Amino acid sequence: MSEYQPSSSLGWIDFSDNDRQKVLKVIELLKGEGTVDELGIGVIRNSLSDAMFPGITTIMTRAKYYFIVPRILHDFITEKPAKISAKQYLSRKENEIMNQLAVKYNYSEDEKIMGISIAKRNKDLPTNKWEELRYKPSVIYWSALRRYLFYNGELSLSNLLDVIDRKSKPDSAYTYIPTEGETSNDKDAEASESYFSLPDHPKDWQKSLTINLTPIEADFLKHRIMDEYGDSLLAKILSTKAATKDFLKSDSYEDMCDMPFVNQLPAANQNILFTAKGFWQILYGAHIRFNVLLHKKTQGNKAYLKEVEVYWKDWVNDMKQFNWSSFNRTLMWSMTKESSKVKGHTETFVNNWIDLIEQKQFDTSKLDDFVLKQEGDNKKSRSKLKTDHDDYYPGWVGISDMGFRFRNAKVIIKDIANNI
């Protein structure tokens, strides 16, 4: 019998930028790095990820969108189109570019064009029937545009769009980046009022648009990252060709940790990198126990239950040899609490779990009690372990890996490195 593969879609009424950001955080937890966060530890993963790869999230695809979004807004400000708001113009252009890029690359999913599946559905429809891209690059990349100072301000996207509509529009919406031999004081080099700092681009940039960075864009993005987050792992990887090459050769986060360039990193970067790796090695055991408990409770896939119990035995053997000197719990919590609010029951659960494992106490009855309580506290009425249901789970449930945004960072870094 074939396994049931549920499908679903998610939408929301767009009241504000804050509401949008909350939804995107949920979407990020559901994407890429491990599906639903049953035990509530995603907040720690995200904080460590952000420290290593600032300005990159798991819902980003290609580096080109760092430039596409502000250029669309620049066009609106300079062209002053009538009878359309900045928000409407931005939405229309993002959908237009989605379909344009899809056609250019023959609807290939390998290019990681945002909304490629929607563009495929639009292919045989008249333009007035096109489906729109829901999670637009402008929303997904806005925080990074602020952090990398592509946008020269602190406003949310929705607030900026309101400001653009209310204010008289300046002749130029971005700061001109002078070429060699020019100075920033040249008469027309800078706008008197600017929203964005970007390399110069042709007026008809959209006609020749590709998903790849130009050499000027790649260099610009690289130096923005290094200027604003020079101490981050992301900046250190970009700082030398050897580090970039090692990183791009890596197949996973764990593989990256063993690359030669890591030995050349400052101690602070190594500390974060290995603490993140150790955090998942330790907490992976909790997710194994969650799956053991779940498959026992549902009386479902007995063969898979045996497989998970083997995972547990292997994990215990690994943890008996774990190098605790490479894991800095104090650093983990300080970084997490600096950027996020941690629920009390999650902090208690993580500390209790780490304490027992560090003491090599692998008594499953006590560890299972921790997991049962945490999953119930975290999921409440949606608890899979504490509520009665007859759902069937064919395999692993919950986070299965923590890439710490490695794969997304690899795409962005590759985009930069391939075009400099």
Side-chain angles (χ1 to χ4, degrees), residues 206-419:
Q206 189 179 332
K207 289 183 180 179
S208 59
L209 181 65
T210 73
I211 199 62
N212 299 311
L213 297 176
T214 67
I216 290 174
E217 290 168 344
D219 186 69
F220 184 86
L221 177 56
K222 172 182 174 178
H223 284 93
R224 275 302 161 99
I225 292 170
M226 294 177 67
D227 288 346
E228 300 306 317
Y229 295 96
D231 292 333
S232 69
L233 176 63
L234 177 60
K236 299 302 182 187
I237 291 168
L238 289 168
S239 64
T240 69
K241 288 184 178 180
T244 302
K245 185 177 180 181
D246 274 355
F247 177 81
L248 292 177
K249 284 167 57 180
S250 309
D251 293 324
S252 65
Y253 182 86
E254 290 75 14
D255 190 28
M256 175 192 68
C257 292
D258 294 330
M259 283 294 175
F261 85 95
V262 171
N263 297 325
Q264 306 303 317
L265 292 173
N269 296 108
Q270 292 187 25
N271 205 1
I272 298 171
L273 189 150
F274 289 114
T275 291
K277 179 183 177 183
F279 167 70
W280 174 239
Q281 287 177 297
I282 299 165
L283 269 296
Y284 174 52
H287 290 76
I288 297 175
R289 294 313 308 170
F290 167 78
N291 274 272
V292 169
L293 292 167
L294 182 66
H295 287 287
K296 282 183 176 179
K297 173 183 171 63
T298 58
Q299 301 298 311
N301 192 335
K302 296 299 184 184
Y304 191 73
L305 174 58
K306 290 181 180 179
E307 188 176 331
V308 176
E309 287 175 334
V310 172
Y311 294 166
W312 174 252
K313 291 178 182 178
D314 291 342
W315 178 83
V316 169
N317 288 333
D318 289 341
M319 292 313 299
K320 287 178 179 177
Q321 304 170 59
F322 182 75
N323 179 14
W324 287 93
S325 65
S326 67
F327 173 69
N328 189 330
R329 193 193 319 196
T330 301
L331 174 67
M332 179 193 78
W333 283 127
S334 67
M335 301 198 78
T336 301
K337 293 178 182 181
E338 183 179 337
S339 61
S340 307
K341 185 175 181 180
V342 185
K343 292 180 179 178
H345 62 78
T346 296
E347 183 174 0
T348 299
F349 163 70
V350 170
N351 280 328
N352 285 342
W353 182 273
I354 293 174
D355 285 342
L356 284 188
I357 303 310
E358 188 170 11
Q359 296 162 17
K360 293 185 171 55
Q361 296 185 31
F362 300 107
D363 175 23
T364 56
S365 61
K366 195 166 187 178
L367 293 171
D368 286 352
D369 285 344
F370 287 159
V371 171
L372 276 165
K373 184 177 187 311
Q374 174 62 11
E375 194 264 354
D377 289 343
N378 183 53
K379 305 299 288 188
K380 296 183 169 49
S381 63
R382 294 174 289 116
S383 167
K384 293 180 174 65
L385 298 181
K386 289 197 170 185
T387 55
D388 293 328
H389 56 78
D390 56 1
D391 295 343
Y392 174 75
Y393 301 99
W396 186 273
V397 176
I399 296 175
S400 59
D401 185 29
M402 279 193 182
F404 299 100
R405 303 179 193 166
F406 166 83
R407 297 199 180 283
N408 302 82
K410 187 172 182 179
V411 173
I412 301 299
I413 291 171
K414 185 177 181 180
D415 276 347
I416 294 171
N418 283 356
N419 295 287

